[in-house]
Amino acid sequence: MARRRVIRSPDDLVTERDLQSQVEAILKANGWRYFHGWSSQHSAAGYPDIVAIRPPRLCFLELKREGQKPRPEQQAWLDDINALGLDQVEDYVVYPSGIAKVQDILA
C-alpha cells in the first residue's frame, strides 16, 4: 500500500514558494527527476504540486504553508494515489517545518 506521511510542526514564516525551492533543491541533490507545473490554471483541480521519480520510487508531493490543510480536490488526488496500494508510490503533504524529514525521505 502507498505510504502517506504528514510532515509538520510550527513554522509560519516560510511561503509555499520558498518551500518549493527547498524541496526542489533536495530533489536535485539526491538525483530525482521531478515536475512542477508552471501554473495550476491549466492543470486538473487539486493535482499535487510536485511529482518526482527515482526508480523504483514515485512520489507525489503536496506543498502547504504551515497550518493549512489540503483542499478537498487535493485530498481526493492524494486519496486516489494512496488507494493504488503500490509500495513504490508515495504521497506526502509537506510543511515547511518538516523539511529535515523531507531530506531524510528523499535521500
Side-chain angles (χ1 to χ4, degrees):
M1 181 188 268
R3 296 175 283 169
R4 175 181 302 155
R5 311 275 195 292
V6 175
I7 304 164
R8 180 175 182 182
S9 69
D11 186 0
D12 296 332
L13 301 176
V14 179
T15 66
E16 192 170 310
R17 182 171 291 208
D18 293 337
L19 179 60
Q20 175 189 331
S21 295
Q22 291 175 7
V23 170
E24 288 178 353
I26 291 168
L27 289 165
K28 286 178 189 175
N30 288 286
W32 288 81
R33 293 175 47 157
Y34 67 91
F35 173 79
H36 177 273
W38 179 255
S39 170
S40 63
Q41 294 176 348
H42 302 290
S43 298
Y47 192 77
D49 293 311
I50 297 176
V51 178
I53 187 167
R54 187 182 71 189
R57 296 171 64 195
L58 175 64
C59 293
F60 293 84
L61 304 150
E62 181 59 45
L63 310 178
K64 292 310 237 182
R65 289 195 64 160
E66 213 63 50
Q68 292 183 340
K69 294 182 179 179
R71 294 187 321 272
E73 309 86 42
Q74 294 169 324
Q75 191 60 56
W77 273 99
L78 296 173
D79 291 344
D80 286 348
I81 292 163
N82 189 264
L84 292 172
L86 302 172
D87 288 338
Q88 308 92 319
V89 178
E90 306 164 38
D91 62 301
Y92 298 96
V93 177
V94 179
Y95 292 90
S97 59
I99 202 69
K101 184 71 173 174
V102 170
Q103 175 69 49
D104 293 341
I105 290 168
L106 299 176

